[in-house]
């Protein structure tokens, strides 16, 4: 990860106690990742990293604030999403690199350096919701009309003109008529 050398923290050379590091992440960071499968292609973030060194471990605290620019899952237009996340990572020295859990990482003692670039990306990506959509009414109108045109509906569906901009929570009052027969069941409370 030579292109991310600015995100290396020289743990071995730190004295015991607390140390602070500050980073700016911008579009260049995401372009250096050079992976088309990643959702986040652009963003601007301020990152504060605190490193607390004890005799055997390093506790890294991450505070990341900024905006990620991701494609809307509905219309595919770019949208901005606020990110404000705090994360923690415990680093220990060992024979080789391994990730013991989501929060514990072992790095080779002879290296004594950890590169946090990929951890920063993961923390940002994991802070975003699974479903990323524009607020109602803000999706690309052309794409919304094409989606509506190709929406599958049943013959007995009375709501053929459902607006795609309605959030699922608002549409949760709809009850499938096939379940109405269950209302006639006699249930003994014993």
């Amino acid at each position: 990860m030579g292109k991310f050398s600015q995100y290396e923290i020289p743990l071995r050379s730190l004295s015991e106690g607390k140390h602070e590091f500050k980073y700016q992440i911008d579009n260049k960071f995401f372009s250096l990742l050079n992976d088309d499968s990643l959702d986040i292609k652009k963003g601007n973030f301020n990152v504060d990293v605190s490193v607390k060194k004890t005799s055997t471990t390093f506790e890294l605290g991450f505070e990341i604030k900024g905006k990620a620019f991701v494609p809307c899952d509905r219309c595919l237009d770019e949208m901005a999403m606020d990110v404000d996340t705090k994360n923690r990572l415990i680093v220990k020295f060992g024979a080789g690199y391994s990730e013991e859990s989501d929060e514990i990482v072992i790095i080779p003692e002879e290296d004594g350096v950890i590169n946090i670039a990929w951890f920063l990306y993961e923390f940002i990506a994991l802070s975003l919701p699974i479903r990323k959509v524009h607020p109602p009414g803000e999706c690309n109108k052309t794409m919304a009309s094409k989606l509506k045109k190709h929406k599958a509906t049943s013959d007995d569906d009375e709501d053929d003109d459902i607006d795609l901009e309605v959030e699922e929570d608002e549409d949760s009052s709809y009850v499938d008529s096939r379940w109405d027969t269950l209302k006639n069941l006699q249930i003994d409370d014993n």
Side-chain angles (χ1 to χ4, degrees), residues 119-178:
F119 292 106
L120 294 175
Y121 178 82
E122 284 183 339
F123 294 149
I124 292 167
L126 291 173
S127 72
L128 298 175
I130 292 173
R131 187 167 183 254
K132 299 173 262 318
V133 295
H134 284 105
E138 292 185 22
C139 272
N140 179 317
K141 301 294 183 202
T142 305
M143 183 63 81
S145 67
K146 287 183 182 193
L147 283 172
K148 190 174 181 179
K149 178 180 166 185
H150 295 286
K151 182 179 175 219
T153 57
S154 63
D155 292 337
D156 56 324
D157 189 4
E158 299 171 8
D159 247 351
D160 284 342
D161 60 342
I162 294 176
D163 186 10
L164 285 173
E165 302 302 324
V166 175
E167 290 295 316
E168 286 180 10
D169 295 337
E170 295 173 22
D171 198 34
S172 64
S173 61
Y174 172 75
V175 178
D176 191 336
S177 60
R178 294 176 287 183

Side-chain angles (χ1 to χ4, degrees), residues 36-172:
D36 291 334
S37 66
L38 301 176
D39 280 346
I40 306 170
K41 304 280 191 256
K42 295 196 283 185
N44 295 303
F45 300 93
N46 293 316
V47 179
D48 294 322
V49 181
S50 65
V51 180
K52 182 180 175 186
K53 180 181 180 179
T54 63
S55 60
T56 59
T57 63
F58 300 87
E59 184 176 333
L60 282 69
F62 297 85
E63 190 171 328
I64 305 170
K65 293 182 183 181
K67 285 195 183 298
F69 297 92
V70 295
C72 173
D73 290 338
R74 187 181 297 137
C75 71
L76 303 178
D77 278 1
E78 185 177 272
M79 60 182 285
M81 299 199 78
D82 290 327
V83 172
D84 187 356
T85 184
K86 292 181 181 180
N87 303 89
R88 186 182 110 160
L89 190 64
I90 306 294
V91 181
K92 299 178 182 180
F93 287 136
Y97 183 87
S98 69
E99 293 186 21
E100 299 290 308
S101 71
D102 290 341
E103 288 189 346
I104 300 174
V105 176
I106 309 294
I107 63 169
E109 190 166 2
E110 64 270 4
D111 291 349
V113 173
I114 186 168
N115 191 312
I116 61 169
W118 185 250
F119 292 106
L120 294 175
Y121 178 82
E122 284 183 339
F123 294 149
I124 292 167
L126 291 173
S127 72
L128 298 175
I130 292 173
R131 187 167 183 254
K132 299 173 262 318
V133 295
H134 284 105
E138 292 185 22
C139 272
N140 179 317
K141 301 294 183 202
T142 305
M143 183 63 81
S145 67
K146 287 183 182 193
L147 283 172
K148 190 174 181 179
K149 178 180 166 185
H150 295 286
K151 182 179 175 219
T153 57
S154 63
D155 292 337
D156 56 324
D157 189 4
E158 299 171 8
D159 247 351
D160 284 342
D161 60 342
I162 294 176
D163 186 10
L164 285 173
E165 302 302 324
V166 175
E167 290 295 316
E168 286 180 10
D169 295 337
E170 295 173 22
D171 198 34
S172 64

Side-chain angles (χ1 to χ4, degrees), residues 25-32 41-44 67 69:
I25 294 178
D26 57 15
N27 296 341
K28 183 179 177 186
F29 174 86
F30 297 102
S31 68
L32 288 174
K41 304 280 191 256
K42 295 196 283 185
N44 295 303
K67 285 195 183 298
F69 297 92

Side-chain angles (χ1 to χ4, degrees), residues 3-39:
K3 56 188 172 186
F4 291 108
S5 59
Q6 67 198 39
Y7 298 100
E8 290 181 350
I9 298 177
L11 298 177
R12 181 187 297 222
S13 65
L14 296 178
S15 60
E16 281 199 30
K18 194 169 183 179
H19 305 272
E20 301 288 331
F21 298 89
K22 293 190 180 295
Y23 300 95
Q24 295 286 321
I25 294 178
D26 57 15
N27 296 341
K28 183 179 177 186
F29 174 86
F30 297 102
S31 68
L32 288 174
L33 290 173
N34 200 21
D35 188 342
D36 291 334
S37 66
L38 301 176
D39 280 346

